[in-house]
Amino acid sequence: MSNDVVLYHAENGVATVTLNRPDQRNAINPEVCAAIRAAFDQVETDPDVRVAVLTGAGSLFCAGMDLKAFAGGAGDTILFGEHGFGGFVKRKRTKPVIAAVEGAALAGGFEMMLACDLAIAGTSAQFALPEVRIGLIPGAGGAVRLPVSIPRVRANEILLTGKPFSAQDAADWGVINRITPDGAALQAAQDMAADIASNAPLAVRHTMTIASAAHAANDATQWPANDQLIRDIGQTADAAEGARAFIEKRAPVWQGK
């Protein structure tokens, strides 16, 4: 299965799902959400696929939500469609997914990486949750998952400053598994996927269920409040101003409402 905005390839038990809008920084719009949803439907239902790799075409993993689509009224579809942001971040999966990051994973792109089970990044990769800088909140899992994945003070620094951090920082803080030379993250992720795919599939599935239990319990309690807050803030003047300022490449003028 492939289409223009998401590519799908499966071989030797490993499916590779590639976000394919490099000219738009692989930003997520409603079409991409539907295509990601369909790709992981196939991952879950194909008995020959045991592990998936999620990556981005071109020089960047994913810049997050397409703010032009958001400004045009598609935010609800992108954020609250089936399986949450990108048709992925809330998905209940039975097979491991490895993120292969080159360039940058920003905002919702970083949150999609956080929704994966493992992550590998190129040396020059950068990460950020810059939502507070455009009047939004990290509502696609950043504020839910990061504080239970890394030390709270580190999570708060990432969430509240919106500043980018390096692949080395990500590795040191336990956000990613390992760093590769630039351009080698996808191959390293596919190699790791092949290692996992060679193991007993039921053992892998049940081990993942146990290992993910604490995060799953946290997600179940936190998502309702998270979603209400992002719905509320999405209706504010500051959220609209942040998106306009980003599109117009100027500094936002906050009103605090």
Side-chain angles (χ1 to χ4, degrees):
M1 184 215 75
S2 295
N3 64 27
D4 289 338
V5 295
V6 172
L7 307 178
Y8 183 96
H9 176 75
E11 185 176 3
N12 298 326
V14 177
T16 301
V17 179
T18 305
L19 308 179
N20 190 39
R21 297 182 76 206
D23 55 331
Q24 299 297 322
R25 293 158 52 89
N26 294 323
I28 307 296
N29 64 10
E31 185 183 5
V32 176
C33 290
I36 294 171
R37 200 177 295 122
F40 282 96
D41 283 347
Q42 188 158 349
V43 168
E44 286 293 315
T45 57
D46 186 343
D48 293 328
V49 170
R50 297 187 178 184
V51 188
V53 173
L54 178 64
T55 193
S59 61
L60 186 135
F61 178 75
C62 177
M65 180 163 58
D66 186 325
L67 288 180
K68 290 183 180 178
F70 173 76
D76 227 49
T77 300
I78 297 168
L79 289 164
F80 303 114
E82 187 180 8
H83 305 311
F85 178 81
F88 182 73
V89 300
K90 293 185 185 179
R91 184 171 197 128
K92 292 179 172 61
R93 295 179 280 100
T94 65
K95 301 176 184 181
V97 180
I98 306 169
V101 178
E102 298 283 359
L106 308 173
F110 181 39
E111 290 168 302
M112 290 182 72
M113 189 198 85
L114 288 176
C116 295
D117 303 290
L118 304 107
I120 294 174
T123 303
S124 299
Q126 289 204 320
F127 307 87
L129 291 171
E131 284 88 343
V132 293
R133 296 184 165 217
I134 56 169
L136 297 173
I137 65 173
V144 168
R145 292 185 168 127
L146 204 57
V148 295
S149 300
I150 65 174
R152 184 175 66 90
V153 292
R154 289 294 188 194
N156 286 341
E157 181 179 353
I158 293 166
L159 291 163
L160 301 178
T161 69
K163 289 184 176 180
F165 58 99
S166 68
Q168 189 60 60
D169 285 338
D172 290 346
W173 299 342
V175 177
I176 62 174
N177 293 82
R178 66 187 62 160
I179 301 170
T180 70
D182 288 338
L186 177 57
Q187 185 60 58
Q190 290 172 330
D191 290 345
M192 180 184 283
D195 286 343
I196 296 170
S198 70
N199 295 327
L202 287 178
V204 168
R205 180 177 300 186
H206 291 316
T207 299
M208 194 175 87
T209 297
I210 296 167
S212 302
H215 284 281
N218 177 71
D219 287 0
T221 59
Q222 297 300 317
W223 277 123
N226 176 91
D227 289 358
Q228 187 57 55
L229 286 170
I230 199 168
R231 285 183 187 277
D232 291 347
I233 204 164
Q235 302 301 313
T236 64
D238 277 355
E241 166 63 7
R244 281 196 303 268
F246 181 86
I247 293 166
E248 295 168 7
K249 295 180 172 58
R250 60 174 175 80
V253 180
W254 305 122
Q255 299 180 41
K257 60 182 182 178

PDB file of all heavy atoms in Angstrom, residues 146-178:
ATOM      1  N   LEU A 146       6.029  12.743  28.148  1.00  0.00           N
ATOM      2  CA  LEU A 146       7.413  13.108  28.455  1.00  0.00           C
ATOM      3  C   LEU A 146       7.713  13.108  29.957  1.00  0.00           C
ATOM      4  O   LEU A 146       8.758  12.596  30.375  1.00  0.00           O
ATOM      5  CB  LEU A 146       7.739  14.460  27.824  1.00  0.00           C
ATOM      6  CG  LEU A 146       9.210  14.730  27.535  1.00  0.00           C
ATOM      7  CD1 LEU A 146       9.809  13.671  26.627  1.00  0.00           C
ATOM      8  CD2 LEU A 146       9.373  16.109  26.911  1.00  0.00           C
ATOM      9  N   PRO A 147       6.818  13.652  30.806  1.00  0.00           N
ATOM     10  CA  PRO A 147       7.149  13.683  32.237  1.00  0.00           C
ATOM     11  C   PRO A 147       7.234  12.313  32.905  1.00  0.00           C
ATOM     12  O   PRO A 147       7.784  12.209  34.003  1.00  0.00           O
ATOM     13  CB  PRO A 147       5.994  14.509  32.841  1.00  0.00           C
ATOM     14  CG  PRO A 147       5.471  15.322  31.702  1.00  0.00           C
ATOM     15  CD  PRO A 147       5.602  14.432  30.508  1.00  0.00           C
ATOM     16  N   VAL A 148       6.696  11.268  32.278  1.00  0.00           N
ATOM     17  CA  VAL A 148       6.844   9.926  32.857  1.00  0.00           C
ATOM     18  C   VAL A 148       7.916   9.124  32.133  1.00  0.00           C
ATOM     19  O   VAL A 148       8.146   7.966  32.461  1.00  0.00           O
ATOM     20  CB  VAL A 148       5.501   9.152  32.842  1.00  0.00           C
ATOM     21  CG1 VAL A 148       4.493   9.839  33.737  1.00  0.00           C
ATOM     22  CG2 VAL A 148       4.954   8.990  31.431  1.00  0.00           C
ATOM     23  N   SER A 149       8.559   9.739  31.142  1.00  0.00           N
ATOM     24  CA  SER A 149       9.605   9.058  30.378  1.00  0.00           C
ATOM     25  C   SER A 149      11.003   9.502  30.774  1.00  0.00           C
ATOM     26  O   SER A 149      11.964   8.734  30.672  1.00  0.00           O
ATOM     27  CB  SER A 149       9.413   9.303  28.878  1.00  0.00           C
ATOM     28  OG  SER A 149       8.163   8.819  28.438  1.00  0.00           O
ATOM     29  N   ILE A 150      11.132  10.767  31.213  1.00  0.00           N
ATOM     30  CA  ILE A 150      12.436  11.315  31.583  1.00  0.00           C
ATOM     31  C   ILE A 150      12.262  12.101  32.882  1.00  0.00           C
ATOM     32  O   ILE A 150      11.133  12.346  33.315  1.00  0.00           O
ATOM     33  CB  ILE A 150      13.012  12.217  30.467  1.00  0.00           C
ATOM     34  CG1 ILE A 150      12.145  13.454  30.250  1.00  0.00           C
ATOM     35  CG2 ILE A 150      13.157  11.434  29.171  1.00  0.00           C
ATOM     36  CD1 ILE A 150      12.746  14.443  29.266  1.00  0.00           C
ATOM     37  N   PRO A 151      13.358  12.515  33.543  1.00  0.00           N
ATOM     38  CA  PRO A 151      13.210  13.290  34.778  1.00  0.00           C
ATOM     39  C   PRO A 151      12.299  14.506  34.589  1.00  0.00           C
ATOM     40  O   PRO A 151      12.340  15.182  33.555  1.00  0.00           O
ATOM     41  CB  PRO A 151      14.655  13.708  35.095  1.00  0.00           C
ATOM     42  CG  PRO A 151      15.487  12.607  34.520  1.00  0.00           C
ATOM     43  CD  PRO A 151      14.770  12.212  33.255  1.00  0.00           C
ATOM     44  N   ARG A 152      11.485  14.764  35.601  1.00  0.00           N
ATOM     45  CA  ARG A 152      10.454  15.800  35.505  1.00  0.00           C
ATOM     46  C   ARG A 152      11.020  17.164  35.149  1.00  0.00           C
ATOM     47  O   ARG A 152      10.448  17.897  34.337  1.00  0.00           O
ATOM     48  CB  ARG A 152       9.690  15.893  36.833  1.00  0.00           C
ATOM     49  CG  ARG A 152       8.524  16.866  36.825  1.00  0.00           C
ATOM     50  CD  ARG A 152       7.755  16.796  38.136  1.00  0.00           C
ATOM     51  NE  ARG A 152       8.560  17.266  39.262  1.00  0.00           N
ATOM     52  CZ  ARG A 152       8.585  18.547  39.663  1.00  0.00           C
ATOM     53  NH1 ARG A 152       7.873  19.463  39.022  1.00  0.00           N
ATOM     54  NH2 ARG A 152       9.319  18.906  40.689  1.00  0.00           N
ATOM     55  N   VAL A 153      12.179  17.521  35.748  1.00  0.00           N
ATOM     56  CA  VAL A 153      12.721  18.851  35.468  1.00  0.00           C
ATOM     57  C   VAL A 153      13.174  18.971  34.012  1.00  0.00           C
ATOM     58  O   VAL A 153      13.072  20.042  33.405  1.00  0.00           O
ATOM     59  CB  VAL A 153      13.877  19.200  36.431  1.00  0.00           C
ATOM     60  CG1 VAL A 153      13.354  19.380  37.840  1.00  0.00           C
ATOM     61  CG2 VAL A 153      14.995  18.159  36.389  1.00  0.00           C
ATOM     62  N   ARG A 154      13.705  17.886  33.444  1.00  0.00           N
ATOM     63  CA  ARG A 154      14.079  17.910  32.037  1.00  0.00           C
ATOM     64  C   ARG A 154      12.828  18.052  31.171  1.00  0.00           C
ATOM     65  O   ARG A 154      12.798  18.826  30.206  1.00  0.00           O
ATOM     66  CB  ARG A 154      14.821  16.630  31.658  1.00  0.00           C
ATOM     67  CG  ARG A 154      16.204  16.503  32.230  1.00  0.00           C
ATOM     68  CD  ARG A 154      17.143  17.549  31.656  1.00  0.00           C
ATOM     69  NE  ARG A 154      18.513  17.293  32.065  1.00  0.00           N
ATOM     70  CZ  ARG A 154      19.494  18.174  31.941  1.00  0.00           C
ATOM     71  NH1 ARG A 154      19.243  19.363  31.445  1.00  0.00           N
ATOM     72  NH2 ARG A 154      20.717  17.870  32.322  1.00  0.00           N
ATOM     73  N   ALA A 155      11.792  17.272  31.502  1.00  0.00           N
ATOM     74  CA  ALA A 155      10.548  17.346  30.741  1.00  0.00           C
ATOM     75  C   ALA A 155       9.970  18.759  30.797  1.00  0.00           C
ATOM     76  O   ALA A 155       9.534  19.312  29.768  1.00  0.00           O
ATOM     77  CB  ALA A 155       9.544  16.341  31.289  1.00  0.00           C
ATOM     78  N   ASN A 156       9.978  19.363  31.968  1.00  0.00           N
ATOM     79  CA  ASN A 156       9.426  20.714  32.097  1.00  0.00           C
ATOM     80  C   ASN A 156      10.219  21.730  31.284  1.00  0.00           C
ATOM     81  O   ASN A 156       9.638  22.658  30.694  1.00  0.00           O
ATOM     82  CB  ASN A 156       9.392  21.133  33.570  1.00  0.00           C
ATOM     83  CG  ASN A 156       8.287  20.439  34.341  1.00  0.00           C
ATOM     84  OD1 ASN A 156       7.343  19.930  33.741  1.00  0.00           O
ATOM     85  ND2 ASN A 156       8.409  20.409  35.657  1.00  0.00           N
ATOM     86  N   GLU A 157      11.533  21.571  31.246  1.00  0.00           N
ATOM     87  CA  GLU A 157      12.360  22.474  30.434  1.00  0.00           C
ATOM     88  C   GLU A 157      11.968  22.378  28.961  1.00  0.00           C
ATOM     89  O   GLU A 157      11.811  23.391  28.273  1.00  0.00           O
ATOM     90  CB  GLU A 157      13.835  22.129  30.616  1.00  0.00           C
ATOM     91  CG  GLU A 157      14.780  23.027  29.820  1.00  0.00           C
ATOM     92  CD  GLU A 157      16.234  22.670  30.036  1.00  0.00           C
ATOM     93  OE1 GLU A 157      16.539  21.822  30.904  1.00  0.00           O
ATOM     94  OE2 GLU A 157      17.087  23.233  29.317  1.00  0.00           O
ATOM     95  N   ILE A 158      11.805  21.157  28.473  1.00  0.00           N
ATOM     96  CA  ILE A 158      11.426  20.952  27.070  1.00  0.00           C
ATOM     97  C   ILE A 158      10.035  21.512  26.800  1.00  0.00           C
ATOM     98  O   ILE A 158       9.795  22.203  25.807  1.00  0.00           O
ATOM     99  CB  ILE A 158      11.482  19.450  26.732  1.00  0.00           C
ATOM    100  CG1 ILE A 158      12.925  18.950  26.780  1.00  0.00           C
ATOM    101  CG2 ILE A 158      10.874  19.171  25.363  1.00  0.00           C
ATOM    102  CD1 ILE A 158      13.041  17.434  26.792  1.00  0.00           C
ATOM    103  N   LEU A 159       9.090  21.222  27.710  1.00  0.00           N
ATOM    104  CA  LEU A 159       7.692  21.602  27.502  1.00  0.00           C
ATOM    105  C   LEU A 159       7.469  23.106  27.634  1.00  0.00           C
ATOM    106  O   LEU A 159       6.677  23.693  26.875  1.00  0.00           O
ATOM    107  CB  LEU A 159       6.810  20.876  28.517  1.00  0.00           C
ATOM    108  CG  LEU A 159       6.674  19.370  28.356  1.00  0.00           C
ATOM    109  CD1 LEU A 159       6.127  18.743  29.631  1.00  0.00           C
ATOM    110  CD2 LEU A 159       5.782  19.031  27.165  1.00  0.00           C
ATOM    111  N   LEU A 160       8.137  23.757  28.594  1.00  0.00           N
ATOM    112  CA  LEU A 160       7.814  25.140  28.941  1.00  0.00           C
ATOM    113  C   LEU A 160       8.656  26.177  28.218  1.00  0.00           C
ATOM    114  O   LEU A 160       8.225  27.322  28.067  1.00  0.00           O
ATOM    115  CB  LEU A 160       7.934  25.346  30.454  1.00  0.00           C
ATOM    116  CG  LEU A 160       7.023  24.442  31.304  1.00  0.00           C
ATOM    117  CD1 LEU A 160       7.256  24.690  32.790  1.00  0.00           C
ATOM    118  CD2 LEU A 160       5.558  24.643  30.943  1.00  0.00           C
ATOM    119  N   THR A 161       9.867  25.795  27.758  1.00  0.00           N
ATOM    120  CA  THR A 161      10.671  26.750  26.992  1.00  0.00           C
ATOM    121  C   THR A 161      10.405  26.632  25.496  1.00  0.00           C
ATOM    122  O   THR A 161      10.534  27.613  24.764  1.00  0.00           O
ATOM    123  CB  THR A 161      12.180  26.553  27.226  1.00  0.00           C
ATOM    124  OG1 THR A 161      12.605  25.317  26.649  1.00  0.00           O
ATOM    125  CG2 THR A 161      12.519  26.589  28.707  1.00  0.00           C
ATOM    126  N   GLY A 162      10.064  25.441  25.038  1.00  0.00           N
ATOM    127  CA  GLY A 162       9.871  25.222  23.611  1.00  0.00           C
ATOM    128  C   GLY A 162      11.160  25.203  22.819  1.00  0.00           C
ATOM    129  O   GLY A 162      11.136  25.125  21.586  1.00  0.00           O
ATOM    130  N   LYS A 163      12.302  25.242  23.495  1.00  0.00           N
ATOM    131  CA  LYS A 163      13.584  25.324  22.795  1.00  0.00           C
ATOM    132  C   LYS A 163      14.012  23.945  22.277  1.00  0.00           C
ATOM    133  O   LYS A 163      13.740  22.918  22.896  1.00  0.00           O
ATOM    134  CB  LYS A 163      14.658  25.874  23.721  1.00  0.00           C
ATOM    135  CG  LYS A 163      14.483  27.356  24.037  1.00  0.00           C
ATOM    136  CD  LYS A 163      15.637  27.859  24.890  1.00  0.00           C
ATOM    137  CE  LYS A 163      15.526  29.360  25.137  1.00  0.00           C
ATOM    138  NZ  LYS A 163      16.653  29.867  25.968  1.00  0.00           N
ATOM    139  N   PRO A 164      14.724  23.920  21.150  1.00  0.00           N
ATOM    140  CA  PRO A 164      15.195  22.641  20.600  1.00  0.00           C
ATOM    141  C   PRO A 164      16.359  22.070  21.403  1.00  0.00           C
ATOM    142  O   PRO A 164      17.082  22.803  22.081  1.00  0.00           O
ATOM    143  CB  PRO A 164      15.636  23.005  19.178  1.00  0.00           C
ATOM    144  CG  PRO A 164      15.985  24.452  19.252  1.00  0.00           C
ATOM    145  CD  PRO A 164      15.057  25.059  20.270  1.00  0.00           C
ATOM    146  N   PHE A 165      16.524  20.756  21.312  1.00  0.00           N
ATOM    147  CA  PHE A 165      17.670  20.097  21.923  1.00  0.00           C
ATOM    148  C   PHE A 165      18.227  19.070  20.949  1.00  0.00           C
ATOM    149  O   PHE A 165      17.564  18.662  19.990  1.00  0.00           O
ATOM    150  CB  PHE A 165      17.325  19.487  23.281  1.00  0.00           C
ATOM    151  CG  PHE A 165      16.207  18.484  23.260  1.00  0.00           C
ATOM    152  CD1 PHE A 165      16.464  17.118  23.238  1.00  0.00           C
ATOM    153  CD2 PHE A 165      14.888  18.904  23.292  1.00  0.00           C
ATOM    154  CE1 PHE A 165      15.439  16.194  23.246  1.00  0.00           C
ATOM    155  CE2 PHE A 165      13.841  17.979  23.299  1.00  0.00           C
ATOM    156  CZ  PHE A 165      14.119  16.617  23.267  1.00  0.00           C
ATOM    157  N   SER A 166      19.462  18.657  21.192  1.00  0.00           N
ATOM    158  CA  SER A 166      20.223  17.870  20.225  1.00  0.00           C
ATOM    159  C   SER A 166      19.968  16.381  20.371  1.00  0.00           C
ATOM    160  O   SER A 166      19.409  15.902  21.366  1.00  0.00           O
ATOM    161  CB  SER A 166      21.715  18.128  20.412  1.00  0.00           C
ATOM    162  OG  SER A 166      22.144  17.581  21.660  1.00  0.00           O
ATOM    163  N   ALA A 167      20.437  15.626  19.376  1.00  0.00           N
ATOM    164  CA  ALA A 167      20.373  14.171  19.451  1.00  0.00           C
ATOM    165  C   ALA A 167      21.185  13.660  20.628  1.00  0.00           C
ATOM    166  O   ALA A 167      20.793  12.690  21.290  1.00  0.00           O
ATOM    167  CB  ALA A 167      20.879  13.559  18.140  1.00  0.00           C
ATOM    168  N   GLN A 168      22.326  14.300  20.917  1.00  0.00           N
ATOM    169  CA  GLN A 168      23.129  13.859  22.058  1.00  0.00           C
ATOM    170  C   GLN A 168      22.369  14.058  23.357  1.00  0.00           C
ATOM    171  O   GLN A 168      22.368  13.184  24.232  1.00  0.00           O
ATOM    172  CB  GLN A 168      24.456  14.610  22.103  1.00  0.00           C
ATOM    173  CG  GLN A 168      25.425  14.050  23.145  1.00  0.00           C
ATOM    174  CD  GLN A 168      25.780  12.593  22.884  1.00  0.00           C
ATOM    175  OE1 GLN A 168      26.320  12.258  21.842  1.00  0.00           O
ATOM    176  NE2 GLN A 168      25.460  11.713  23.834  1.00  0.00           N
ATOM    177  N   ASP A 169      21.699  15.214  23.498  1.00  0.00           N
ATOM    178  CA  ASP A 169      20.864  15.426  24.679  1.00  0.00           C
ATOM    179  C   ASP A 169      19.762  14.373  24.751  1.00  0.00           C
ATOM    180  O   ASP A 169      19.478  13.818  25.820  1.00  0.00           O
ATOM    181  CB  ASP A 169      20.234  16.818  24.653  1.00  0.00           C
ATOM    182  CG  ASP A 169      21.215  17.930  24.994  1.00  0.00           C
ATOM    183  OD1 ASP A 169      22.241  17.638  25.638  1.00  0.00           O
ATOM    184  OD2 ASP A 169      20.950  19.081  24.611  1.00  0.00           O
ATOM    185  N   ALA A 170      19.126  14.112  23.615  1.00  0.00           N
ATOM    186  CA  ALA A 170      18.037  13.130  23.578  1.00  0.00           C
ATOM    187  C   ALA A 170      18.525  11.758  24.025  1.00  0.00           C
ATOM    188  O   ALA A 170      17.833  11.051  24.771  1.00  0.00           O
ATOM    189  CB  ALA A 170      17.434  13.058  22.177  1.00  0.00           C
ATOM    190  N   ALA A 171      19.714  11.372  23.592  1.00  0.00           N
ATOM    191  CA  ALA A 171      20.276  10.083  24.000  1.00  0.00           C
ATOM    192  C   ALA A 171      20.638  10.090  25.483  1.00  0.00           C
ATOM    193  O   ALA A 171      20.351   9.137  26.212  1.00  0.00           O
ATOM    194  CB  ALA A 171      21.492   9.753  23.147  1.00  0.00           C
ATOM    195  N   ASP A 172      21.255  11.187  25.940  1.00  0.00           N
ATOM    196  CA  ASP A 172      21.664  11.275  27.346  1.00  0.00           C
ATOM    197  C   ASP A 172      20.457  11.226  28.278  1.00  0.00           C
ATOM    198  O   ASP A 172      20.535  10.662  29.383  1.00  0.00           O
ATOM    199  CB  ASP A 172      22.447  12.566  27.591  1.00  0.00           C
ATOM    200  CG  ASP A 172      23.823  12.564  26.941  1.00  0.00           C
ATOM    201  OD1 ASP A 172      24.289  11.474  26.534  1.00  0.00           O
ATOM    202  OD2 ASP A 172      24.417  13.645  26.817  1.00  0.00           O
ATOM    203  N   TRP A 173      19.331  11.823  27.852  1.00  0.00           N
ATOM    204  CA  TRP A 173      18.137  11.876  28.690  1.00  0.00           C
ATOM    205  C   TRP A 173      17.239  10.648  28.519  1.00  0.00           C
ATOM    206  O   TRP A 173      16.230  10.529  29.189  1.00  0.00           O
ATOM    207  CB  TRP A 173      17.339  13.136  28.370  1.00  0.00           C
ATOM    208  CG  TRP A 173      18.089  14.407  28.630  1.00  0.00           C
ATOM    209  CD1 TRP A 173      19.215  14.568  29.409  1.00  0.00           C
ATOM    210  CD2 TRP A 173      17.794  15.707  28.106  1.00  0.00           C
ATOM    211  NE1 TRP A 173      19.631  15.878  29.390  1.00  0.00           N
ATOM    212  CE2 TRP A 173      18.784  16.602  28.607  1.00  0.00           C
ATOM    213  CE3 TRP A 173      16.803  16.208  27.265  1.00  0.00           C
ATOM    214  CZ2 TRP A 173      18.792  17.956  28.296  1.00  0.00           C
ATOM    215  CZ3 TRP A 173      16.803  17.561  26.948  1.00  0.00           C
ATOM    216  CH2 TRP A 173      17.792  18.426  27.456  1.00  0.00           C
ATOM    217  N   GLY A 174      17.596   9.749  27.592  1.00  0.00           N
ATOM    218  CA  GLY A 174      16.806   8.549  27.391  1.00  0.00           C
ATOM    219  C   GLY A 174      15.590   8.736  26.512  1.00  0.00           C
ATOM    220  O   GLY A 174      14.663   7.922  26.548  1.00  0.00           O
ATOM    221  N   VAL A 175      15.597   9.781  25.688  1.00  0.00           N
ATOM    222  CA  VAL A 175      14.483  10.019  24.777  1.00  0.00           C
ATOM    223  C   VAL A 175      14.607   9.152  23.531  1.00  0.00           C
ATOM    224  O   VAL A 175      13.600   8.782  22.914  1.00  0.00           O
ATOM    225  CB  VAL A 175      14.409  11.516  24.403  1.00  0.00           C
ATOM    226  CG1 VAL A 175      13.292  11.779  23.392  1.00  0.00           C
ATOM    227  CG2 VAL A 175      14.189  12.364  25.650  1.00  0.00           C
ATOM    228  N   ILE A 176      15.851   8.856  23.125  1.00  0.00           N
ATOM    229  CA  ILE A 176      16.101   7.973  21.988  1.00  0.00           C
ATOM    230  C   ILE A 176      17.034   6.846  22.426  1.00  0.00           C
ATOM    231  O   ILE A 176      17.726   6.957  23.443  1.00  0.00           O
ATOM    232  CB  ILE A 176      16.709   8.728  20.783  1.00  0.00           C
ATOM    233  CG1 ILE A 176      18.069   9.349  21.132  1.00  0.00           C
ATOM    234  CG2 ILE A 176      15.733   9.800  20.267  1.00  0.00           C
ATOM    235  CD1 ILE A 176      18.778   9.984  19.944  1.00  0.00           C
ATOM    236  N   ASN A 177      17.059   5.781  21.628  1.00  0.00           N
ATOM    237  CA  ASN A 177      17.897   4.628  21.954  1.00  0.00           C
ATOM    238  C   ASN A 177      19.358   4.834  21.588  1.00  0.00           C
ATOM    239  O   ASN A 177      20.255   4.476  22.356  1.00  0.00           O
ATOM    240  CB  ASN A 177      17.394   3.378  21.235  1.00  0.00           C
ATOM    241  CG  ASN A 177      16.053   2.931  21.752  1.00  0.00           C
ATOM    242  OD1 ASN A 177      15.028   3.460  21.347  1.00  0.00           O
ATOM    243  ND2 ASN A 177      16.041   1.970  22.660  1.00  0.00           N
ATOM    244  N   ARG A 178      19.585   5.387  20.383  1.00  0.00           N
ATOM    245  CA  ARG A 178      20.971   5.537  19.939  1.00  0.00           C
ATOM    246  C   ARG A 178      21.074   6.570  18.825  1.00  0.00           C
ATOM    247  O   ARG A 178      20.067   6.944  18.212  1.00  0.00           O
ATOM    248  CB  ARG A 178      21.536   4.208  19.465  1.00  0.00           C
ATOM    249  CG  ARG A 178      20.895   3.626  18.226  1.00  0.00           C
ATOM    250  CD  ARG A 178      21.399   2.223  17.925  1.00  0.00           C
ATOM    251  NE  ARG A 178      21.071   1.287  18.990  1.00  0.00           N
ATOM    252  CZ  ARG A 178      21.044  -0.028  18.822  1.00  0.00           C
ATOM    253  NH1 ARG A 178      21.364  -0.560  17.663  1.00  0.00           N
ATOM    254  NH2 ARG A 178      20.712  -0.827  19.826  1.00  0.00           N
TER     255      ARG A 178
END
